[in-house]
């Protein structure tokens, strides 16, 4: 059954990719028609990390040029984008739509936009992987596309809100750990996270899985479901001993706060060279503790768990 589900997902992705390729010229014409003469359109991929960095550069671009900015983003991130003072107008696309695939995956669009800072008044906010050329993601963002230096303070910091998704949070927050095993851009291994949950529970921790049911995400066996807003998750993570996540945009979200981050690179060791949280937190105004580990196969599980235990001992010392 699992095999057929994987095949089915692959077919759906392939069809959307083909549709994006076919409709790309129409998509670009439609976007140009929506553009007003006195503004630029900045497109954002449907991933939280790309939104955070894209908007930090939108702010910088506004300060440098004074140009009106229209943001083309996934509807999921409208509230986040609205929080930036540089935004004059927002156009949205649906998560999972052909438009998302056109913005994100179609090579001609990515390569053409990456080569030009301003593509007929439309600016993209990321480059393909082969544009890295030994540089980290932050260096590419800073130097390759906008040619302006980012301001640390322009990185997104969610508003602090009351924690309602976790019962008795105030009484138990010193023993709560939140896992983030899911990412649209990173690997996932169920047995690894089940082993982590089992170990953490044996140490007396209450374990939650950050999961969005509408995306088919479920709590790791032995843990509880945490389905919260971005703002509430940020508020929770600042008050608990450990937030353990695959290296995804959620970690970028936490970089301007005081929290304890443990990043896992699951079957994607190469990402550590380009998206290391050590560079991220040194670049931002981060005040917490960080650790990271690479997991390639089940032989690495004991080593990773020991690293997590050592990290918790350091945090609690």
């Amino acid at each position: 059954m699992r095999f057929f589900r994987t095949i089915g997902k692959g077919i759906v992705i392939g069809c959307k990719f083909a549709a994006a390729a076919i409709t790309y010229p129409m998509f670009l014409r439609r976007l140009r028609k929506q553009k007003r003469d006195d503004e630029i359109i900045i497109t954002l991929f449907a991933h939280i990390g790309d939104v955070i960095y894209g908007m930090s550069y939108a702010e910088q671009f506004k300060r440098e040029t004074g140009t009106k900015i229209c943001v083309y983003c996934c509807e999921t991130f409208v509230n986040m984008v609205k929080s930036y003072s540089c935004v004059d107008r927002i156009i949205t696309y649906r998560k999972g739509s052909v438009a998302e695939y056109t913005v994100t995956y179609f090579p001609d669009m990515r390569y053409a936009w990456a080569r030009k800072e301003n593509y007929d008044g439309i600016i993209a906010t990321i480059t393909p992987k082969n544009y890295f050329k030994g540089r980290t993601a932050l260096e590419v963002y800073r130097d390759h596309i906008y040619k302006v230096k980012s301001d640390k303070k322009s990185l997104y910091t969610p508003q602090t809100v009351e924690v309602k998704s976790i019962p008795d949070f105030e009484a138990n927050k010193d023993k709560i750990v939140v896992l983030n095993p899911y990412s649209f851009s990173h690997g996932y291994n169920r047995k690894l996270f089940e082993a982590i949950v089992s170990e953490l529970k044996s140490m007396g921790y209450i374990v939650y899985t950050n999961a969005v049911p509408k995306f088919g995400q479920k709590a790791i066996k032995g843990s509880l479901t945490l389905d919260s807003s971005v703002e509430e998750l940020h508020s929770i993570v600042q008050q608990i001993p450990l937030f353990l996540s695959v290296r995804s945009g959620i970690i970028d979200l936490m970089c301007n706060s005081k929290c304890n981050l443990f990043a896992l690179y699951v079957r994607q060791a190469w990402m550590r060279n380009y998206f290391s949280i050590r560079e991220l937190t040194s670049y931002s105004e981060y005040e917490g503790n960080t650790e990271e580990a690479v997991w390639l196969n089940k032989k690495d599980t004991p080593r990773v768990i020991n690293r997590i235990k050592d990290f918790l001992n350091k945090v609690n010392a």
Side-chain angles (χ1 to χ4, degrees):
M1 184 65 71
R2 192 182 204 175
F3 171 78
F4 290 111
R5 278 201 302 266
T6 303
I7 294 295
K9 287 180 181 178
I11 292 172
V12 170
I13 290 172
C15 289
K16 287 184 176 179
F17 187 92
I22 293 168
T23 61
Y24 167 65
M26 291 179 286
F27 168 84
L28 196 54
R29 282 198 298 271
R30 187 169 65 249
L31 200 56
R32 283 172 177 162
K33 284 182 179 180
Q34 294 183 76
K35 181 188 163 309
R36 297 170 183 171
D37 292 339
D38 61 345
E39 70 181 8
I40 61 164
I41 293 180
I42 293 182
T43 68
L44 301 177
F45 290 2
H47 303 292
I48 193 168
D50 298 316
V51 172
I52 291 167
Y53 287 108
M55 289 311 302
S56 77
Y57 284 97
E59 285 198 329
Q60 185 72 29
F61 194 91
K62 183 87 165 190
R63 286 195 293 269
E64 296 268 329
T65 67
T67 306
K68 287 185 179 180
I69 290 177
C70 172
V71 175
Y72 185 61
C73 67
C74 179
E75 59 188 8
T76 307
F77 300 113
V78 167
N79 289 336
M80 182 184 294
V81 172
K82 279 182 179 178
S83 71
Y84 288 86
S85 60
C86 65
V87 178
D88 297 288
R89 195 163 67 96
I90 298 174
I91 307 172
T92 63
Y93 57 84
R94 287 182 297 104
K95 181 73 180 172
S97 66
V98 172
E100 178 195 344
Y101 278 70
T102 306
V103 169
T104 309
Y105 294 113
F106 188 52
D108 281 356
M109 196 173 211
R110 297 179 73 182
Y111 280 79
W113 290 14
R115 285 197 297 265
K116 298 180 181 181
E117 186 173 341
N118 191 325
Y119 189 74
D120 291 341
I122 301 172
I123 292 179
T125 56
I126 197 170
T127 59
K129 193 166 62 178
N130 68 338
Y131 273 80
F132 281 64
K133 296 180 181 176
R135 294 176 296 167
T136 64
L138 284 172
E139 289 171 330
V140 170
Y141 275 115
R142 283 199 297 263
D143 305 329
H144 189 65
I145 292 197
Y146 290 92
K147 299 180 176 60
V148 294
K149 293 181 179 178
S150 179
D151 184 343
K152 292 179 182 181
K153 294 180 180 178
S154 70
L155 291 176
Y156 179 67
T157 303
Q159 179 184 359
T160 299
V161 298
E162 181 184 355
V163 176
K164 296 181 179 180
S165 297
I166 297 179
D168 301 318
F169 177 73
E170 285 298 322
N172 297 314
K173 62 184 181 182
D174 291 339
K175 281 293 181 180
I176 290 175
V177 169
V178 175
L179 306 185
N180 182 60
Y182 301 110
S183 168
F184 292 107
S185 56
H186 207 288
Y188 164 72
N189 184 273
R190 176 179 56 82
K191 290 185 178 180
L192 166 64
F193 282 97
E194 286 181 356
I196 291 171
V197 169
S198 178
E199 188 64 35
L200 289 170
K201 289 181 70 176
S202 73
M203 297 169 68
Y205 288 99
I206 305 167
V207 185
Y208 282 84
T209 299
N210 180 45
V212 184
K214 68 179 180 180
F215 293 148
Q217 299 172 354
K218 297 180 180 179
I220 302 299
K221 183 179 178 181
S223 70
L224 303 168
T225 300
L226 174 61
D227 182 11
S228 65
S229 66
V230 166
E231 292 77 15
E232 187 179 12
L233 177 62
H234 185 265
S235 299
I236 290 168
V237 167
Q238 290 188 86
Q239 302 178 66
I240 61 175
L242 174 63
F243 178 60
L244 189 151
S245 174
V246 293
R247 179 59 184 94
S248 65
I250 287 290
I251 286 182
D252 297 82
L253 181 72
M254 304 301 170
C255 75
N256 264 14
S257 61
K258 185 176 181 179
C259 53
N260 302 306
L261 298 177
F262 194 109
L264 276 177
Y265 301 83
V266 180
R267 293 201 179 107
Q268 297 200 32
W270 69 269
M271 288 186 71
R272 192 174 185 177
N273 297 325
Y274 298 106
F275 299 98
S276 171
I277 63 169
R278 298 192 186 282
E279 184 199 10
L280 175 67
T281 52
S282 66
Y283 169 71
S284 69
E285 297 180 339
Y286 183 76
E287 300 177 8
N289 299 291
T290 62
E291 185 57 271
E292 52 188 6
V294 174
W295 185 94
L296 298 177
N297 54 54
K298 63 182 181 180
K299 294 179 181 179
D300 292 328
T301 300
R303 176 182 56 81
V304 168
I305 288 177
N306 285 333
R307 292 278 292 277
I308 295 169
K309 290 166 69 175
D310 290 342
F311 182 69
L312 280 168
N313 289 334
K314 174 185 173 182
V315 169
N316 295 323

